[in-house]
Amino acid sequence: MSAKVKKIILSGYYGFDNAGDEAVLAALCQILRNRLPEAQLVALSAKPEQTAAALDVRAVNRWDKAALRAELQDAALFCSGGGSLLQDVTSVRSVWYYTSLLRLAQKQGVPTIVLAQGLGPLRTGLGRWLTRRALSRCHLLSWRDAASLRLAAEIMKDEAGQSVPSYQVCDPVLLWQPKLPEAQAEQEPADVAGGPTVALALRPWPGLNAAAAAQLVQALQQAGCRVALLPYHQGEDEKLAAQINAALLTAKQPKAEVWLANTPQQAWAAVGRADLLLGMRLHSLIMAAAQGVPALAVSYDPKVEAFAASVQMSLAEGGVSLPAEQVAAQLLALPKRPVAYPLGPLLAGWQPLLAAICRILADK
């Protein structure tokens, strides 16, 4: 590789058909290419051929440690993130996997950074220890919300003599400028007469009942709304959408539309054509804020509350229980689009971070 070409490796939850995480990777590639046009980007992915074709990057199998070691031999930088990678809510395996990649890069002498991540929850001693060990050896850390920044400082407070520069930035999708395919004509349902289009970006979660979500859909339909279910994670969210529509049919109510988002660009376009959004998936809320779509956040994870607070977005009453009448009333009381979310201060945080990344690459 030419001495002028710097190889940057990107690690995250990529290649799993989750529109939000794929949008993160697309946004990071765009941001880095704009600032470092000569850099070679390499993504670790569960579906490397698909990732390479979608983003015009080199991609390697995220499970192939031998391939990663080979890539690291001439890498200038290893980036962990974005997304919520260092967490042990489901099991400690996630935090073990992502910290093991950081440690592998560090052992091979490659500078490592955490890039626009959300940190936690970290509920186990092992998860915190693995995180502290990996973070303390990074060249810099950057977090997408203040809560993650504080948690990182708390976890690393016992690392005597270790001081790692830390930055707070917004999620990269807020900066993304996707290239969208030409809009296709939408088929308006015959029984909707001028009511708002409401998109529901829900995900399976303990406490979220498909029947309760169906009651919310019914309440919105009775208020004259066109309701669309917007699955972000293929298979997982689509199954929930099918359960909601099955509950509506059982109650002898019309089904909701299902807007499939097989790519992050399709997810962006779907959010953009909604008049109102109820978002449980974090990146549905981020895409709404970026496009000025009035949105209501369903809190199931601290990352949702953190983002909603940062852009002055309201939380749905009752959380994942989704009480139909209350949440429908909240949605219909939202201001009309476009909403002027306070994004300026969030976007500004990227400039000092990118300058710091350039300094690391200059020294490599």
Side-chain angles (χ1 to χ4, degrees):
M1 184 183 299
S2 168
K4 292 183 179 180
V5 177
K6 303 289 188 178
K7 180 194 288 185
I8 301 174
I9 299 176
L10 297 166
S11 166
Y13 189 71
Y14 307 137
F16 289 97
D17 298 321
N18 184 311
D21 289 292
E22 300 308 318
V24 167
L25 180 57
L28 287 176
C29 288
Q30 187 178 79
I31 291 167
L32 292 171
R33 281 173 170 153
N34 287 343
R35 187 62 180 260
L36 301 159
E38 298 299 321
Q40 180 189 45
L41 304 182
V42 179
L44 306 185
S45 172
K47 295 180 179 177
E49 292 183 358
Q50 178 177 298
T51 297
L55 296 173
D56 191 24
V57 297
R58 279 172 45 76
V60 298
N61 192 309
R62 77 196 305 265
W63 308 114
D64 190 341
K65 289 292 183 71
L68 176 56
R69 290 189 182 94
E71 293 291 345
L72 287 168
Q73 288 179 3
D74 59 350
L77 187 65
F78 181 91
C79 304
S80 180
S84 298
L85 309 180
L86 304 178
Q87 55 83 22
D88 57 11
V89 174
T90 51
S91 78
V92 79
R93 286 177 294 182
S94 177
V95 68
W96 175 85
Y97 170 77
Y98 290 109
T99 57
S100 73
L101 298 185
L102 281 166
R103 294 291 293 129
L104 180 60
Q106 290 162 356
K107 289 176 180 177
Q108 290 194 215
V110 178
T112 57
I113 70 172
V114 167
L115 188 54
Q117 275 199 46
L119 181 62
L122 288 166
R123 297 172 178 171
T124 67
L126 177 58
R128 286 180 169 241
W129 178 79
L130 289 168
T131 300
R132 179 167 59 249
R133 183 180 64 160
L135 297 188
S136 66
R137 292 164 174 81
C138 286
H139 280 59
L140 66 80
L141 309 173
S142 58
W143 308 105
R144 70 183 180 194
D145 55 69
S148 295
L149 186 72
R150 289 193 298 270
L151 180 56
E154 176 192 330
I155 288 173
M156 295 180 64
K157 66 183 178 182
D158 295 329
E159 287 291 315
Q162 296 290 339
S163 179
V164 182
S166 295
Y167 299 80
Q168 183 180 339
V169 296
C170 65
D171 188 286
V173 176
L174 272 181
L175 284 77
W176 191 34
Q177 296 178 319
K179 295 181 180 179
L180 302 178
E182 292 185 9
Q184 297 179 350
E186 297 179 31
Q187 294 182 351
E188 296 287 340
D191 58 342
V192 173
T197 297
V198 185
L200 276 57
L202 304 176
R203 61 157 298 162
W205 194 257
L208 177 62
N209 185 284
Q215 289 176 356
L216 172 59
V217 172
Q218 182 180 347
L220 291 167
Q221 290 173 336
Q222 290 174 347
C225 301
R226 173 188 180 186
V227 184
L229 303 175
L230 177 52
Y232 261 63
H233 199 165
Q234 291 182 38
E236 186 176 318
D237 293 5
E238 290 170 2
K239 183 178 179 181
L240 175 61
Q243 292 170 343
I244 293 169
N245 273 333
L248 285 165
L249 288 176
T250 299
K252 296 182 170 47
Q253 299 298 322
K255 294 194 301 182
E257 297 176 61
V258 179
W259 290 352
L260 296 180
N262 296 322
T263 68
Q265 290 82 3
Q266 288 175 353
W268 179 281
V271 170
R273 69 174 183 261
D275 297 306
L276 303 169
L277 175 85
L278 178 70
M280 191 171 176
R281 286 289 184 187
L282 174 63
H283 283 94
S284 71
L285 300 169
I286 290 171
M287 291 180 184
Q291 298 180 77
V293 176
L296 191 64
V298 180
S299 178
Y300 77 98
D301 185 284
K303 65 185 180 184
V304 172
E305 292 189 25
F307 177 73
S310 72
V311 296
Q312 300 174 19
M313 186 180 287
S314 298
L315 297 175
E317 292 185 16
V320 297
S321 66
L322 296 179
E325 298 301 328
Q326 295 92 316
V327 175
Q330 280 186 282
L331 278 166
L332 296 174
L334 290 175
K336 293 183 178 180
R337 62 178 302 171
V339 176
Y341 292 102
L343 303 183
L346 300 178
L347 303 179
W350 273 89
Q351 292 308 315
L353 172 60
L354 290 170
I357 290 173
C358 289
R359 289 193 293 270
I360 294 172
L361 291 172
D363 293 339
K364 178 63 177 174

